[in-house]
Amino acid sequence: MSTSPQPRITRDTFLHTVSLQKSRPGSTPSPSRVTIFMISGNPGLIGYYHTFLSLLADKLGPRGAQSKSQSRSHACDFQIYGHSLGGFELDDPENLDAGKRLFDLEDQICYVQGKLAGFLAGAETKQKVILVGHSVGAYIAMEILRRHRERSDARAGVDKADFDIVGGIMLFPTVVDIAKSPSGQKLTRLLYFIPQLALVVGFLVRVLAMLLPGALLRGVIKNVMGSPPDSVVETTAAFIRSKRGVTQALHMATDEMRTITSDKWDDDVWGVSTANEPLTRLFFYFGRNDHWVAERTRDEIIELRGRVEGGPTMSVCELGLPHAFCLRHNDIMAEKVANMIMDIVSA
């Protein structure tokens, strides 16, 4: 069995390559490769997803794939890549010090587009991409898919795009009417009384972080978050101590309330096949009692989009998993996402 390269993991990135291919003497490795591109929620630190992505790599690797029902004839290489959203990076001095710029949702879409294009640049063969978006990352993924399709249509007959987006997996997606959710309503009320909420809270958190020694800060985080794994505590502490992290998160959340409203995508973006376009397979995994997705909003999306023949596959979690699954429920979600990925590449 071929050996996968060791993962490259930093506070701002995750990259791991796994393979289902058998290595035979004298054989040539298959050029087939699928990039799984992770788009985080808000706050946009990829560190929150390191455990999830590592488990996903295990479940897509040879041992994990052997337990699945999919045919080995669809084996291919997977490269799993994710990067922190703009304004949340912990290791980039330029970003930390560059003019105190705050990213709104449109900025993040462009930023993530650039990361994806840059990562795939220079590939010898045309790549296949599966977008995995969590929370607002699902909205960003849908917008990237829309713009990618529009760009591909505009370039048809001239030169094709450098990669194809063959699938999308949207986890606890906030893609419509986020302000109607329980947490969205609370945030909207706060913003009414404190319009500069991002700056005010960001300043107060910065002062608190400077006053508390590292060990005490981590203790407070553990207590408030209900003793999560150490990796979550460390990521949260780094987020709180960063120069603009909390301000960036609230600035972006404020823009989400204004931007994520009614459904703005055509059928082709929702994965409904047409005569001229290849189908992008979409999976939506919703939670129950999700504080960032109103129950009515979820049901309306499923009624309107999930029951269209040839449209996206939509399901509602019956396991009681929370919106922030990446804090404690990584193994369950990694298994579910691995199965969705295998369904996409086996089609």
Side-chain angles (χ1 to χ4, degrees):
M1 198 69 66
S2 60
T3 302
S4 297
Q6 290 299 308
R8 299 207 306 267
I9 301 174
T10 71
R11 295 197 297 176
D12 292 330
T13 60
F14 181 97
L15 174 60
H16 193 12
T17 301
V18 295
S19 176
L20 292 177
Q21 299 288 353
K22 290 182 178 179
S23 292
R24 297 184 179 90
S27 65
T28 302
S30 168
S32 177
R33 171 167 285 189
V34 177
T35 295
I36 300 161
F37 186 65
M38 181 74 209
I39 308 172
S40 70
N42 183 11
L45 289 87
I46 200 65
Y48 282 123
Y49 301 88
H50 282 168
T51 300
F52 166 69
L53 295 175
S54 296
L55 289 168
L56 179 61
D58 289 343
K59 295 178 188 300
L60 289 174
R63 286 178 297 179
Q66 286 173 357
S67 67
K68 302 184 188 303
S69 60
Q70 284 78 7
S71 169
R72 294 300 296 272
S73 64
H74 298 291
C76 58
D77 288 344
F78 295 103
Q79 55 182 358
I80 303 172
Y81 176 65
H83 192 280
S84 294
L85 297 182
F88 291 98
E89 298 98 327
L90 300 171
D91 294 329
D92 184 351
E94 287 189 10
N95 186 63
L96 291 174
D97 299 326
K100 298 183 179 179
R101 180 192 176 193
L102 294 173
F103 290 69
D104 59 23
L105 196 48
E106 174 63 24
D107 293 329
Q108 295 292 5
I109 295 165
C110 296
Y111 183 83
V112 173
Q113 274 185 305
K115 285 294 178 184
L116 176 59
F119 179 70
L120 295 175
E124 295 181 1
T125 58
K126 192 171 185 178
Q127 301 289 295
K128 294 180 178 180
V129 174
I130 297 173
L131 303 175
V132 179
H134 174 224
S135 190
V136 70
Y139 180 91
I140 295 172
M142 292 289 283
E143 270 297 292
I144 288 176
L145 178 58
R146 177 183 69 82
R147 297 173 193 202
H148 181 79
R149 293 181 72 85
E150 289 176 354
R151 189 165 59 251
S152 296
D153 289 344
R155 296 166 65 179
V158 182
D159 57 341
K160 296 293 185 180
D162 296 331
F163 57 89
D164 290 325
I165 300 177
V166 298
I169 298 172
M170 314 304 175
L171 307 176
F172 303 89
T174 57
V175 291
V176 175
D177 289 334
I178 190 172
K180 293 181 180 179
S181 67
S183 289
Q185 292 180 43
K186 292 176 184 176
L187 179 57
T188 301
R189 285 195 293 270
L190 269 175
L191 290 168
Y192 177 80
F193 291 107
I194 313 175
Q196 298 300 320
L197 182 68
L199 295 176
V200 172
V201 175
F203 173 76
L204 293 176
V205 170
R206 285 282 294 157
V207 171
L208 180 65
M210 287 188 292
L211 293 175
L212 293 180
L216 184 55
L217 177 61
R218 289 190 292 273
V220 171
I221 292 169
K222 264 195 170 185
N223 185 58
V224 171
M225 298 183 72
S227 298
D230 289 343
S231 60
V232 172
V233 174
E234 292 299 327
T235 298
T236 304
F239 166 59
I240 289 173
R241 288 194 178 279
S242 63
K243 291 184 178 179
R244 296 183 294 118
V246 173
T247 304
Q248 171 60 60
L250 287 170
H251 176 82
M252 182 175 166
T254 300
D255 193 50
E256 290 170 37
M257 299 303 112
R258 294 190 294 258
T259 305
I260 303 177
T261 53
S262 58
D263 178 2
K264 62 187 66 176
W265 299 295
D266 295 333
D267 286 351
D268 61 335
V269 179
W270 280 100
V272 179
S273 58
T274 65
N276 300 321
E277 295 287 348
L279 176 66
T280 299
R281 292 202 63 194
L282 297 183
F283 289 81
F284 284 75
Y285 189 81
F286 291 97
R288 285 206 181 278
N289 302 310
D290 186 335
H291 60 99
W292 282 113
V293 181
E295 299 285 287
R296 181 175 178 179
T297 298
R298 179 201 66 209
D299 293 344
E300 288 176 349
I301 294 172
I302 293 173
E303 180 68 28
L304 180 64
R305 295 296 187 177
R307 297 181 180 173
V308 178
E309 185 177 355
T313 300
M314 296 190 175
S315 58
V316 180
C317 177
E318 300 297 345
L319 302 175
L321 300 186
H323 185 86
F325 74 87
C326 54
L327 301 186
R328 289 187 177 86
H329 301 87
N330 292 292
D331 191 71
I332 295 173
M333 288 308 302
E335 180 69 27
K336 289 183 177 296
V337 171
N339 287 331
M340 295 175 196
I341 289 169
M342 294 304 294
D343 281 345
I344 292 170
V345 300
S346 299

